[in-house]
Amino acid sequence: EVADDEIQDMTFCAILKKYDGKAPQVSPSKDYNPEIFKNSIEDDSDTKNEKYLNHKLHNWDSFISYAALPNDKYLLNWPFRSNDYYPTPRELYENPETRNYHYQKSKEHTLNYVHYMQTKMGHPEWGLATDEFPTEDHLPFIPYIRESRRMKGLHLLKENEVIPQENSFRPPLQKNSIAVGDYFLDHHHSSFFRPPDERLIENLPANAPFQIPFGCLIPEEVDGFIAAEKSISVTHIVNGCSRLQPVVMLIGQATGAIAALSLKRKINVRDVSINELQDVLIKAGSQLFPYKDLYGDNPVFEAAQKLALKGIYVDNPEFTFNAEEYVTDEEAENYFKKVNFKQISITDIIGLKRNDAFLLMFYNIK
């Protein structure tokens, strides 16, 4: 109810490269403090007490393979006492002058950690890749922003809509879905690693593959505007799973489709037909209901997606469709409770393979 100004850290990521022999050494900044990086990995720890540290201790091998890239390169984006940078939110988002200052300090923070890797962690063979970005410091053009100012939308996606509902492995169904995601609730806060009596505590529950509803992209009041990326209408907690690239790419595709349909039909974006929008997205191969084994080139994809939006879907801990499995009596009974069909009865789908049953149901919806 009251703003606490807690947002996820930003990070100036870096592409590192393993050199033959010593890599060009990165110079530290004037305010370099090696103590802040202590315990980022097990090989450089002064305690094995993970409860006190508030994170798992990985060894060098799991650290350097965490975001391994081709050609002996590595994406430096480590969440534990590494290159995440915590700015004062209002200085970052509301003041361009202090924003640029924090961008520079975030760059220095990342370069300091690379220096720490080369010296204190004993890996001088790793350094900045000089052939990735045409920048003087070899860092990316912009930082990775995990959380931004968010719009008040027609729908505010909350924690209880991305965690399993009672008696199900899946969150509540979003019939107006325009995108899906399957990343876990994950927040980057360097304040997690302060001393126990000073640290930020966020008890993030285990979530499940989830849907993004249409209303998260459309403002409550402003016409002619569509949100995307990190700015959609979700809570701070849900931002932890909705911010990831696969999710925001699907949201971007939906945003483009909404804009196109709005222009084509000469209507406001909030008045775009959900059915028409979902039809466009499904025909383009976008998932609107998350199955981990069913893609746009599968003949049953459209039927399975559209039936799911009506409440007919497979609910199992693997979040799979399993097209070759046979429909059971219990499964069929559940489907026929959700939707009325023409010309078929429950006995017509019992014992069929799931792909055949879903096609039969799809072509017989009233």
Side-chain angles (χ1 to χ4, degrees), residues 87-102:
T88 302
R90 297 188 188 277
E91 289 189 0
L92 180 64
Y93 291 113
E94 297 181 359
N95 189 332
E97 293 179 4
T98 51
R99 181 185 309 156
N100 291 332
Y101 166 81
H102 285 295

Side-chain angles (χ1 to χ4, degrees), residues 39-216:
N39 296 308
S40 65
I41 64 170
E42 184 179 22
D43 310 48
D44 180 53
S45 63
D46 55 15
T47 176
K48 298 295 189 282
N49 188 340
E50 294 182 349
K51 185 175 181 181
Y52 173 80
L53 294 173
N54 203 28
H55 67 84
K56 179 177 173 58
L57 275 172
H58 292 260
N59 60 27
W60 171 263
D61 289 336
S62 61
F63 163 74
I64 206 64
S65 61
Y66 167 74
L69 299 172
N71 304 316
D72 281 333
K73 290 182 178 178
Y74 171 74
L75 170 65
L76 180 58
N77 181 31
W78 190 242
F80 308 127
R81 291 176 161 83
S82 177
N83 62 322
D84 285 349
Y85 176 82
Y86 176 74
T88 302
R90 297 188 188 277
E91 289 189 0
L92 180 64
Y93 291 113
E94 297 181 359
N95 189 332
E97 293 179 4
T98 51
R99 181 185 309 156
N100 291 332
Y101 166 81
H102 285 295
Y103 282 2
Q104 182 58 38
K105 298 306 287 185
S106 179
K107 286 184 178 185
E108 291 177 8
H109 185 61
T110 291
L111 295 174
N112 283 342
Y113 187 73
V114 178
H115 176 82
Y116 187 85
M117 288 174 59
Q118 295 176 325
T119 54
K120 299 290 185 181
M121 288 168 66
H123 287 278
E125 73 278 15
W126 282 92
L128 293 170
T130 58
D131 55 349
E132 290 291 340
F133 304 108
T135 53
E136 188 175 342
D137 55 15
H138 307 302
L139 294 178
F141 299 104
I142 58 174
Y144 179 33
I145 302 294
R146 293 183 175 85
E147 185 170 4
S148 67
R149 302 179 74 168
R150 298 187 298 281
M151 176 196 68
K152 285 187 176 181
L154 296 175
H155 186 110
L156 175 65
L157 196 65
K158 302 183 183 74
E159 177 185 298
N160 62 2
E161 296 175 284
V162 298
I163 62 175
Q165 57 189 326
E166 190 175 355
N167 300 321
S168 174
F169 299 103
R170 295 183 179 273
L173 177 66
Q174 303 285 356
K175 293 189 175 184
N176 288 349
S177 171
I178 52 80
V180 298
D182 67 354
Y183 199 71
F184 63 101
L185 282 170
D186 171 45
H187 283 192
H188 282 237
H189 291 290
S190 29
S191 50
F192 283 164
F193 313 126
R194 293 174 186 158
D197 58 341
E198 299 175 19
R199 69 179 49 149
L200 173 67
I201 302 295
E202 287 188 343
N203 296 312
L204 303 174
N207 63 314
F210 55 90
Q211 300 166 283
I212 304 290
F214 172 81
C216 289

Side-chain angles (χ1 to χ4, degrees), residues 5 25 31 33 47 114 117 156 196 198 206 210 230 246 255 309 314 335 347 354:
D5 280 9
Q25 191 172 102
D31 60 353
N33 177 12
T47 176
V114 178
M117 288 174 59
L156 175 65
E198 299 175 19
F210 55 90
K230 313 292 193 296
T255 300
L309 296 174
V314 182
Y335 295 156
T347 56
R354 196 168 282 139

